[in-house]
């Protein structure tokens, strides 16, 4: 009974930490698309002048870049987890806040890699649908159609935090071990970002392929359509 009570208390704390972390990240921790475009062009030599140009690249190129972005996020999360892990469960709440920011930035970068910017409300909502998918939360697009983004995003964040807190409590309780908590924190954060990153990558890749197929179908229809003589 005491163990169940402890887990319930910890889960509430973790859920609150994740909720605050994602809210803060949503408002302040945003990837600058223009700067990120310059980075990927310089680092990987992509011949594009905008993220719409990724549709002219081979999908394998995008997948390789996406994996590099996820791996980079994993390394940052591991370093952060090692530092906060030294405090055991006492530092798990600030750890969740920073981990939320690292995770969301990784998802934002994946969104851009597959050609989805987040300048409009619809694009912002799509980003959070991907984040929910990465957390294992199914968000109906009907909900998006009935809600404005200012109300939609907080509701999605709440559901993400509730779902993710279950995973965190089950795995992060190993941080009560004093000497091993730093190593455990690093490893857990590392695999957290890897799992979420891969699920988000899968979401954006699927949407990217849908857009490519629509473009191809549109070209075929245009080619097959009878020409109107003037």
């Amino acid at each position: 009974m005491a163990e169940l009570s402890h887990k319930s208390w910890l889960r509430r704390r973790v859920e609150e930490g994740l909720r605050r972390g994602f809210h803060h990240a949503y408002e302040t921790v945003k990837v600058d698309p223009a700067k990120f475009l310059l980075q990927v062009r310089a680092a990987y030599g992509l011949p594009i002048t905008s993220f719409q140009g990724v549709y002219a690249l081979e999908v394998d190129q995008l997948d390789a870049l996406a994996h590099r972005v996820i791996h980079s996020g994993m390394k940052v999360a591991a370093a952060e987890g090692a530092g906060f892990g030294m405090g055991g469960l006492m530092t798990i709440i600030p750890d969740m806040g920073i981990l939320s920011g690292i995770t969301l930035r990784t998802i934002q970068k994946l969104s851009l890699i597959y050609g989805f910017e987040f300048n409009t409300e619809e694009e912002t909502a799509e980003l959070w649908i991907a984040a929910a998918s990465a957390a294992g939360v199914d968000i109906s697009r009907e909900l998006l159609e009935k809600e404005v983004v200012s109300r939609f995003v907080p509701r999605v964040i709440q559901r993400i935090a509730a779902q993710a807190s279950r995973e965190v409590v089950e795995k992060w309780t190993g941080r009560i071990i004093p000497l091993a908590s730093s190593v455990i924190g690093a490893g857990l954060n590392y695999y957290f970002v890897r799992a979420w990153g891969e699920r988000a990558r899968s979401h954006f890749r699927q949407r990217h392929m849908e857009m490519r197929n629509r473009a191809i179908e549109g070209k075929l229809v245009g080619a097959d359509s009878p020409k109107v003589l003037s």
Side-chain angles (χ1 to χ4, degrees):
M1 182 65 71
E3 183 179 354
L4 289 176
S5 177
H6 175 70
K7 280 192 174 183
S8 178
W9 170 85
L10 181 59
R11 182 177 168 188
R12 289 196 301 271
R13 294 270 293 169
V14 168
E15 183 175 333
E16 178 64 14
L18 287 166
R19 187 183 65 78
R20 289 184 180 181
F22 277 115
H23 268 296
H24 179 71
Y26 169 54
E27 295 171 355
T28 62
V29 184
K30 296 181 180 179
V31 173
D32 184 325
K35 288 183 179 179
F36 185 58
L37 178 62
L38 291 176
Q39 289 173 5
V40 296
R41 287 178 61 189
Y44 306 109
L46 297 185
I48 57 175
T49 57
S50 74
F51 282 107
Q52 289 303 305
V54 300
Y55 289 96
L57 301 177
E58 295 292 333
V59 178
D60 288 346
Q61 283 183 279
L62 305 182
D63 291 341
L65 179 55
H67 284 302
R68 288 172 181 166
V69 164
I70 294 171
H71 188 66
S72 177
M74 288 161 59
K75 291 194 295 184
V76 173
E80 180 268 328
F84 276 95
M86 294 177 68
L89 291 179
M90 294 295 292
T91 54
I92 195 170
I93 304 306
D95 181 16
M96 290 300 100
I98 296 175
L99 182 61
S100 298
I102 294 170
T103 303
L104 185 58
R105 282 182 63 85
T106 300
I107 292 173
Q108 288 174 336
K109 290 177 181 179
L110 293 172
S111 175
L112 292 169
I113 287 169
Y114 286 102
F116 302 104
E117 298 186 54
F118 30 87
N119 298 320
T120 67
E121 287 198 343
E122 183 178 354
E123 290 168 341
T124 298
E126 181 63 41
L127 181 72
W128 283 99
I129 290 174
S133 176
V137 177
D138 183 23
I139 299 296
S140 170
R141 291 187 179 273
E142 294 179 1
L143 175 63
L144 171 58
E145 292 171 359
K146 296 176 182 177
E147 296 246 19
V148 295
V149 170
S150 61
R151 291 199 301 268
F152 173 77
V153 171
R155 289 182 62 181
V156 173
I157 288 175
Q158 183 60 53
R159 292 183 62 179
I160 290 173
Q163 176 70 19
S165 64
R166 297 192 188 101
E167 177 182 349
V168 168
V169 170
E170 289 299 320
K171 297 179 180 179
W172 262 253
T173 48
R175 285 172 57 148
I176 61 175
I177 306 171
L179 296 178
S181 61
S182 179
V183 176
I184 293 172
L188 290 172
N189 282 17
Y190 183 90
Y191 289 108
F192 184 91
V193 173
R194 185 178 76 170
W196 280 50
E198 284 297 336
R199 290 194 290 258
R201 186 192 72 81
S202 177
H203 174 91
F204 286 124
R205 191 183 194 281
Q206 180 180 344
R207 294 277 293 142
H208 177 89
M209 295 308 298
E210 289 173 0
M211 295 292 288
R212 283 201 179 215
N213 291 336
R214 287 178 191 171
I216 293 172
E217 289 171 2
K219 288 180 180 179
L220 290 176
V221 170
D224 292 340
S225 297
K227 296 181 179 179
V228 177
L229 300 177
S230 57

